[in-house]
């Protein structure tokens, strides 16, 4: 049995007000559309807005919004904020769902004086109905004393109303974890398949395990390559993760493969007990 994640839960929160007006900015994107559809199915008071983010579109959409969720790529957060902020009611809670947290949180807090909460659903737009659906919740620096006592439970309650699990973390902890889990998954697959590209003489030797890895990496390295490249570059901890990985490759090059095997077995503790 492999290690299974334990999702720490914050203290119990009050029931989510299903009448609270919710606004999804970027509602035609894959994640935004999924969240909006799920909110509507849960009976929440949800609406969406998308490009072009004109004043004529934003003014009525933002008018009474209680929770505004940015469902846009990290790279366009500043431009979206510039269009959005003039139309937000003073009581609105501003949140995002980007896969990096340090930079977007700073940008949102610089643009919006009210409560800001970062979030990251750790699954894609077609979540496994039978798997864990965790959402990382990152309090903004000014949450305390600016409606934060209600902002955090509100955001957590929203995601739980959609059937997701939530846990709290910091922006740094989140981005360091994503550098290792998300960025390294992408960059190691990218480097591996780039290394072997163009070598037709290898094709007769493909094994089932190689084919499984190739099939698993296909979507990431074709349809989603630009997305993951942007996330890699936006995460300030990506390059340190690459340097640490290179050190482990140096161990392999020096012949210390057994040491790497011992470390890797951490993921399968029950198998260690059988030895």
């Amino acid at each position: 049995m492999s290690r299974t994640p334990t999702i720490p839960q914050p203290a119990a929160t009050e029931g989510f007000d299903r009448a609270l007006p919710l606004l999804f900015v970027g509602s035609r994107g894959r994640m935004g559309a999924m969240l909006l559809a799920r909110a509507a199915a849960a009976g929440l008071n949800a609406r969406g807005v998308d490009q072009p983010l004109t004043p004529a579109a934003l003014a009525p959409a933002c008018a009474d919004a209680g929770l505004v969720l940015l469902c846009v790529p990290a790279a366009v957060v500043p431009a979206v904020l510039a269009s959005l902020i003039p139309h937000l009611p003073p009581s609105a809670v501003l949140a995002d769902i980007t896969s990096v947290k340090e930079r977007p949180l700073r940008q949102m807090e610089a643009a919006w004086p009210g409560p800001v909460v970062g979030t990251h659903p750790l699954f894609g737009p077609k979540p496994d109905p039978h798997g864990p659906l965790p959402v990382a919740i990152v309090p903004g620096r000014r949450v305390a004393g600016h409606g934060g006592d209600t902002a955090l439970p509100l955001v957590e309650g929203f995601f739980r109303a959609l059937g997701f699990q939530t846990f709290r973390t910091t922006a740094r902890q989140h981005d360091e974890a994503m550098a290792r889990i998300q960025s390294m998954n992408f960059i190691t697959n990218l480097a591996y398949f780039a290394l072997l590209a163009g070598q037709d003489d290898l094709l007769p030797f493909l094994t089932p395990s190689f084919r499984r890895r190739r099939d698993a990496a296909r979507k990431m390295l074709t349809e989603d390559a630009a997305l993951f490249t942007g996330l890699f570059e936006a995460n300030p901890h990506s390059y340190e993760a690459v340097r640490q990985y290179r050190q482990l490759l140096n161990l392999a090059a020096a012949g210390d493969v057994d040491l790497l095997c011992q470390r890797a077995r951490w993921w399968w503790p029950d198998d260690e007990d059988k030895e």
Side-chain angles (χ1 to χ4, degrees):
M1 180 183 296
S2 62
R3 286 185 183 269
T4 55
T6 299
I7 307 301
Q9 294 292 317
T13 60
E14 298 179 0
F16 181 73
D17 180 4
R18 293 175 179 269
L20 181 78
L22 309 172
L23 175 62
F24 298 83
V25 181
S27 58
R28 290 200 295 266
R30 288 184 295 176
M31 284 298 292
M34 181 273 289
L35 292 171
L36 177 57
R38 198 154 179 144
L44 305 186
N45 182 10
R47 56 180 176 262
V49 66
D50 212 311
Q51 298 288 357
L53 297 176
T54 62
L58 287 169
C62 295
D64 59 349
L67 172 61
V68 178
L69 200 62
L70 303 186
C71 304
V72 299
V76 303
V77 165
V80 169
L81 288 172
S83 299
L84 175 70
I85 294 301
H87 303 282
L88 292 187
S91 59
V93 175
L94 181 63
D96 77 310
I97 63 165
T98 62
S99 298
V100 289
K101 293 272 73 79
E102 290 181 272
R103 188 181 302 172
L105 271 174
R106 288 196 301 268
Q107 293 166 340
M108 289 192 293
E109 290 181 322
W112 181 239
V116 170
V117 180
T119 82
H120 180 197
L122 296 165
F123 46 86
K126 296 180 180 179
D128 181 355
H130 305 294
L133 299 173
V135 180
I137 305 293
V138 182
R141 290 176 298 176
R142 296 195 312 270
V143 160
H146 287 76
D149 292 342
T150 58
L152 280 177
L154 184 151
V155 174
E156 289 165 343
F158 159 69
F159 281 108
R160 292 186 186 185
L162 301 191
F164 305 146
Q165 299 167 288
T166 64
F167 68 98
R168 295 181 188 179
T169 185
T170 68
R172 183 181 181 89
Q173 288 173 331
H174 172 278
D175 284 4
E176 287 179 342
M178 285 297 98
R180 288 156 178 76
I181 297 295
Q182 188 178 64
S183 295
M184 289 305 298
N185 186 36
F186 167 66
I187 212 69
T188 54
N189 272 316
L190 179 64
Y192 179 65
F193 286 101
L195 170 69
L196 304 183
Q199 301 181 48
D200 290 344
D201 57 311
L202 296 178
L203 297 180
F205 299 94
L206 302 188
T207 63
S209 60
F210 177 90
R211 294 178 189 275
R212 286 193 296 270
R213 180 171 180 178
R214 181 191 61 182
D215 292 344
R218 180 176 183 173
K219 185 174 184 295
M220 174 184 287
L221 300 184
T222 56
E223 296 178 35
D224 297 335
L227 169 65
F228 282 103
T229 297
L231 294 175
F232 179 88
E233 294 173 344
N235 191 325
H237 304 283
S238 293
Y239 297 100
E240 175 58 26
V242 170
R243 286 189 287 270
Q244 292 177 0
Y245 184 73
R246 187 169 58 194
Q247 292 174 359
L248 296 184
L249 289 179
N250 288 338
L251 289 177
D256 292 328
V257 177
D258 286 344
L259 176 60
L260 296 178
C261 287
Q262 291 172 17
R263 290 192 60 173
R265 289 192 188 104
W266 178 87
W267 286 98
W268 300 277
D270 290 355
D271 291 347
E272 289 184 1
D273 295 339
K274 297 174 184 177
E275 294 181 0

